[in-house]
Amino acid sequence: PQANDVASRIYQRMHLARGPKIVAIGGGTGLSTLLRGLKEHTSHLTAVVTVADDGGSSGRLRRELGVPPPGDFRSCLVALAEAEPLMKELFQYRFDGGTSLAGHSFGNLFIAALSGVTGSFEKAVRESSRVLAVRGSILPSTLANVTLKATMEDESTVYGESSITERRGKIRELFMEPAGAPAYEEAVKAIQEADLIVIGPGSLYTSILPNLLVKGIRDAVRESRAIKVYVANVSTQPGETDGYTLADHVHTIYRQVGERLFQYVLANSDVVPLPEEWGNKAIRIDLERIRGAEVVLEDLVNKEYRLRHDPQRLAKTLLNLYHGHLPQSRLRSGRVSEKQENVLQAESKVGE
């Protein structure tokens, strides 16, 4: 049995080594969900992560120690880790109330402390990757101390990622200060060398756009010859995208950073009404309004928790897309099959 186990591991490593070079751009839970699925298909994985987070434990460490917010990096480390389950649980452990450490996760503190020991945040993430036996690389989109600024529909201005979400207003436009924040060179290089670039899933205004607002990142994506896919969320996000349809998500990216960033939009086809108390709505698929990209509809949702993607379903569909094995639900905007018409009809009832 032991020999078989060793042989199995060798075969798995050889299989993963033959996988495509994939760059995933985003942040938050959406990015870590994607990475958990993709790591079963390739060892050439790079996550490009936003550094705009200013809330919770990450925000406190950012303000008090002057380090980039470590939370999203921690989640990506755990998602890609090959270490024992206990080590992963340790990194995710969050201290309870009653102490000055309340709200902090051990992983955030570890990365912050390692930043001091190694002299840089990027070295701290790299060494943390070694501790957790991470499969792939995790890189910041920029190392600049950036702040998000949103102009709202009521003409007010809101500063800070957490404040933008808490405001729960309609966002007209998102900005990053400083506007000329330089892209992290290793992230740009990874994008240039990628075979497949995946944007999302994740919070539109606070995970995805903060990366693309870094000029060097979006220029590298636009100029890349890789297969490029935008993965739409399966549901709206209270405080950010209330009432947004699939086309609203796509066109918000176009409006903020320009078109030609991706050839495909990947969206969930298994749409059912969500419980009212969740505050989220299933994303309405309005194909007729989408331009500039081909839409792929596929069953991608986590059946037990319908606010999230299923990591394995999502990864498998992306790899099929990359290899040219497109699912039957492939379509161009405006061309709707009978199966897809049923999806649209079911989805339209969600918004009634």
Side-chain angles (χ1 to χ4, degrees):
Q2 188 173 4
N4 289 338
D5 186 50
V6 171
S8 176
R9 289 184 181 181
I10 293 173
Y11 174 79
Q12 183 189 38
R13 287 180 182 176
M14 291 175 61
H15 168 71
L16 294 173
R18 291 194 296 266
K21 295 179 180 178
I22 303 177
V23 172
I25 301 174
T29 304
L31 180 58
S32 55
T33 297
L34 171 67
L35 295 175
R36 278 199 300 275
L38 288 177
K39 77 173 183 179
E40 304 303 325
H41 298 270
T42 182
S43 57
H44 307 296
L45 260 178
T46 301
V48 176
V49 184
T50 175
V51 293
D53 189 4
D54 66 351
S57 170
S58 287
R60 288 165 60 190
L61 292 172
R62 178 181 176 180
R63 289 187 296 272
E64 294 172 12
L65 301 180
V67 297
D72 284 353
F73 292 84
R74 182 199 77 245
S75 295
C76 290
L77 285 166
V78 173
L80 292 176
E82 294 297 311
E84 293 298 319
L86 184 60
M87 283 299 295
K88 292 194 276 189
E89 288 179 27
L90 176 62
F91 258 64
Q92 293 289 59
Y93 177 78
R94 195 170 294 275
F95 292 92
D96 294 328
T99 73
S100 58
L101 293 178
H104 280 302
S105 74
F106 174 82
N108 286 1
L109 295 173
F110 183 91
I111 295 170
L114 205 50
S115 295
V117 171
T118 62
S120 76
F121 181 79
E122 58 268 40
K123 286 182 181 178
V125 173
R126 196 175 299 125
E127 291 303 317
S128 298
S129 297
R130 291 177 59 184
V131 170
L132 289 173
V134 160
R135 185 182 298 170
S137 301
I138 304 161
L139 307 173
S141 54
T142 179
L143 282 175
N145 185 15
V146 297
T147 300
L148 292 182
K149 180 178 78 171
T151 302
M152 314 300 285
E153 283 292 338
D154 63 5
E155 305 295 341
S156 63
T157 301
V158 182
Y159 289 88
E161 184 223 48
S162 56
S163 297
I164 291 170
T165 303
E166 290 168 3
R167 179 65 175 272
R168 302 182 75 89
K170 189 168 179 60
I171 301 168
R172 177 182 293 175
E173 192 168 3
L174 189 72
F175 303 90
M176 179 179 284
E177 295 184 347
Y184 186 56
E185 289 186 9
E186 284 189 42
V188 171
K189 183 180 179 183
I191 292 169
Q192 292 170 337
E193 296 177 352
D195 300 311
L196 172 64
I197 297 172
V198 184
I199 301 170
S203 302
L204 179 62
Y205 286 101
T206 54
S207 289
I208 295 173
L209 283 174
N211 289 303
L212 300 178
L213 286 173
V214 179
K215 186 177 185 300
I217 297 295
R218 70 171 178 270
D219 286 350
V221 172
R222 184 171 283 113
E223 294 163 8
S224 169
R225 295 185 178 181
I227 301 294
K228 293 173 280 192
V229 185
Y230 167 58
V231 179
N233 293 342
V234 297
S235 68
T236 60
Q237 182 175 353
E240 279 198 37
T241 55
D242 297 288
Y244 274 41
T245 65
L246 178 61
D248 290 332
H249 283 77
V250 173
H251 293 158
T252 294
I253 295 175
Y254 288 170
R255 187 179 69 252
Q256 286 276 173
V257 296
E259 300 187 19
R260 296 185 298 108
L261 277 180
F262 41 81
Q263 305 105 315
Y264 297 99
V265 174
L266 180 57
N268 174 53
S269 65
D270 182 19
V271 180
V272 299
L274 301 179
E276 190 70 29
E277 62 270 18
W278 286 10
N280 306 67
K281 300 289 185 183
I283 297 290
R284 187 162 69 83
I285 304 169
D286 48 347
L287 299 174
E288 70 284 353
R289 291 183 54 219
I290 296 178
R291 67 177 190 276
E294 191 162 359
V295 181
V296 176
L297 293 178
E298 192 71 2
D299 184 351
L300 302 171
V301 73
N302 183 321
K303 305 304 179 188
E304 296 180 0
Y305 188 55
R306 285 187 164 268
L307 301 185
R308 304 256 171 89
H309 287 83
D310 178 274
Q312 284 70 41
R313 289 172 183 265
L314 178 56
K316 183 179 179 181
T317 300
L318 285 166
L319 268 295
N320 283 339
L321 200 54
Y322 169 73
H323 289 296
H325 308 311
L326 291 172
Q328 292 299 310
S329 51
R330 181 190 185 193
L331 55 92
R332 292 189 181 277
S333 180
R335 290 173 55 194
V336 185
S337 69
E338 181 178 350
K339 176 184 175 183
Q340 293 142 11
E341 185 64 45
N342 292 336
V343 170
L344 294 174
Q345 289 175 1
E347 193 283 330
S348 65
K349 294 177 182 178
V350 175
E352 291 177 355

